[in-house]
Amino acid sequence: MNHGTQINDVLALARKLVSIPSVNPVLADDPSIAGEHRLADFMEDFLSRRGFSVDRHEAIKGRPNVVGTFGPANPRRTIMIEAHLDTQGVHGMTVPPFEGVVRDGRLYGRGACDMKGPMAAAMVNLTKDRLEPLAAAGVQLQFVGAIGEETGNLGALELVDLGLAADEVLVLEPTDLHIVHAHKGVLWFEVEVKGLAAHGSNPDKGLSSIRGMSRFIELLHQQVDAIPLRNNLLGRPTVNVGIIRGGTSINIVPERCVIEVDRRLIPGEDFREVIEAARRIVKQLVGEGVIVGGDVRPIKESVPFETTAESSLVKRLGRACTARGVVPVTEGASWYSDAGPFSRTSREVAIFGPGSIRQAHTADEFIEIDELHKGAEIIGDYLARTASEAGAHG
């Protein structure tokens, strides 16, 4: 028997989860820590021992998504709790990444706050006392572990494409115990423009791709600034040029220049329209003779989402916070998560968990133990209230 599957204390469970390396393989060069399969194995065993029916969906070999289901086959209500299995890399960490060090009221290690602490706060509540009232009230609980969130919501997108959905979805992330019910989407794309090479002593004989790119960047910012959309929670769309590459020598007019762009979207925007708008700028510059050609290539995208603060999910989470002595704070976020994909198939979505997003990906990643315990209490209260509410309306 795997002793870890019997852990019922949230700190002990969080330490166990931290000790299981699950670094996103894109962010790891050591096979012994790369990939989510070890954590998927643990989660599958954990859920199975608590009466869940467990399926693995492995669109990419060696990278399984885990979906556990508990409750009636024909439920009156379906709720999902979702956690991503992967973590950031460990290069440059100043604390042991997988030892689960406890010191000064904190748990340290890779994933302590993003997101094995929040995962533990939910998993510790998968007990008979929590699960059976839900099932008796006609509620089916899905507990989901998804791969590849750190590099583009890969697992969530795979599961959404399979049709996985629920009446409400609680996405686990470190939110400082705030209820995040909207966040921006993200579109990363690459832009390449082409000029004409010439000797640096005769720049008029060439066409500088860097100069052309500077004009593209100016027009791109003007384009975003002119967008009339605004969201009360999320503000305006934004754009940031994070990388620029161009030229081969100081005395050669550069023939090629490439940028990588981070574009944050708000509800109402479509990433395909953003790409086409960028391509129109390239076409305009070619027409003006500023460049001779160019291309715009998407890198990754994640959709924005918004669930009203008056939704039953958000209000029930708020009541659970109040019951456990935490003032309920509802807000939007500029970062993105698996909530975006699941908002395509599910009616109500919110993000919640202990830990601070400011500690995610850091060299000394940690979670405050008091907050870890409080998060577990709130999630437990949320499950109890869900069962009670469903039973009252049954």
Side-chain angles (χ1 to χ4, degrees):
M1 179 182 294
N2 185 337
H3 176 69
T5 61
Q6 302 305 309
I7 297 173
N8 293 310
D9 173 75
V10 66
L11 176 57
L13 181 54
R15 293 188 69 190
K16 177 63 179 178
L17 295 176
V18 168
S19 76
I20 303 172
S22 59
V23 177
N24 188 298
V26 177
L27 307 172
D29 51 21
D30 179 356
S32 70
I33 64 172
E36 302 94 341
H37 56 282
R38 303 171 197 83
L39 186 55
D41 291 344
F42 178 87
M43 180 177 287
E44 181 178 9
D45 188 48
F46 188 99
L47 295 174
S48 295
R49 292 179 182 276
R50 282 156 178 76
F52 283 75
S53 172
V54 182
D55 294 313
R56 291 165 72 106
H57 302 276
E58 197 166 329
I60 300 174
K61 186 173 176 57
R63 301 188 67 186
N65 298 297
V66 177
V67 179
T69 305
F70 188 98
N74 298 300
R76 289 197 291 267
R77 181 186 299 179
T78 302
I79 66 171
M80 182 194 305
I81 299 178
E82 193 264 2
H84 67 82
L85 299 172
D86 60 323
T87 69
Q88 277 286 318
V90 300
H91 294 295
M93 288 197 71
T94 58
V95 297
F98 308 118
E99 292 182 12
V101 173
V102 174
R103 185 175 67 242
D104 300 326
R106 295 170 172 174
L107 168 64
Y108 289 87
R110 181 54 81 221
C113 80
D114 184 22
M115 55 94 55
K116 293 177 178 180
M119 187 188 298
M123 289 174 68
V124 78
N125 281 290
L126 303 181
T127 62
K128 181 178 180 180
D129 290 346
R130 295 293 188 207
L131 295 173
E132 290 189 351
L134 285 167
V139 178
Q140 182 188 89
L141 172 63
Q142 300 170 346
F143 198 95
V144 176
I147 68 164
E149 188 270 351
E150 296 289 358
T151 55
N153 312 107
L154 183 60
L157 290 168
E158 290 174 356
L159 292 170
V160 165
D161 286 344
L162 290 173
L164 188 66
D167 294 311
E168 60 185 53
V169 181
L170 177 60
V171 175
L172 300 171
E173 289 286 356
T175 66
D176 293 306
L177 301 179
H178 295 178
I179 303 165
V180 176
H181 59 101
H183 70 48
K184 290 184 176 180
V186 64
L187 170 63
W188 290 355
F189 60 95
E190 180 182 82
V191 181
E192 177 183 4
V193 300
K194 296 178 181 179
L196 294 172
H199 196 277
S201 62
N202 295 294
D204 57 311
K205 303 295 185 182
L207 200 58
S208 170
S209 62
I210 290 178
R211 186 173 181 181
M213 185 63 83
S214 68
R215 177 67 175 147
F216 175 92
I217 293 171
E218 179 185 5
L219 292 175
L220 179 64
H221 278 274
Q222 289 178 9
Q223 191 180 76
V224 175
D225 289 344
I227 294 172
L229 289 175
R230 181 176 178 84
N231 185 279
N232 290 334
L233 281 172
L234 305 175
R236 294 183 49 79
T238 62
V239 63
N240 177 65
V241 177
I243 295 175
I244 185 166
R245 301 183 296 272
T248 57
S249 176
I250 194 171
N251 64 340
I252 298 177
V253 175
E255 184 179 29
R256 178 176 179 269
C257 186
V258 176
I259 61 172
E260 294 182 20
V261 181
D262 181 331
R263 177 73 156 76
R264 301 289 162 143
L265 291 74
I266 62 173
E269 291 192 284
D270 187 296
F271 79 94
R272 291 163 294 194
E273 295 174 358
V274 173
I275 292 294
E276 287 307 310
R279 286 175 175 156
R280 286 196 295 271
I281 298 176
V282 171
K283 185 176 181 180
Q284 174 186 335
L285 295 179
V286 172
E288 294 175 357
V290 177
I291 57 176
V292 298
D295 195 13
V296 179
R297 295 181 287 267
I299 298 173
K300 77 168 185 177
E301 59 93 10
S302 177
V303 298
F305 94 98
E306 183 173 18
T307 295
T308 173
E310 299 305 309
S311 68
S312 61
L313 168 59
V314 173
K315 292 176 76 69
R316 201 175 326 114
L317 272 172
R319 289 193 290 270
C321 288
T322 299
R324 297 297 174 167
V326 173
V327 176
V329 176
T330 57
E331 61 187 15
S334 58
W335 41 262
Y336 71 95
S337 75
D338 284 343
F342 281 110
S343 70
R344 294 175 174 175
T345 58
S346 303
R347 188 176 70 244
E348 298 180 7
V349 183
I351 311 166
F352 179 83
S356 171
I357 197 69
R358 294 179 298 277
Q359 277 300 315
H361 309 178
T362 58
D364 64 340
E365 183 176 351
F366 66 81
I367 188 169
E368 299 284 351
I369 294 172
D370 285 348
E371 188 167 317
L372 179 64
H373 282 283
K374 188 63 69 174
E377 292 176 4
I378 293 169
I379 292 172
D381 195 285
Y382 155 75
L383 291 173
R385 289 173 184 274
T386 300
S388 179
E389 180 182 295
H393 292 97

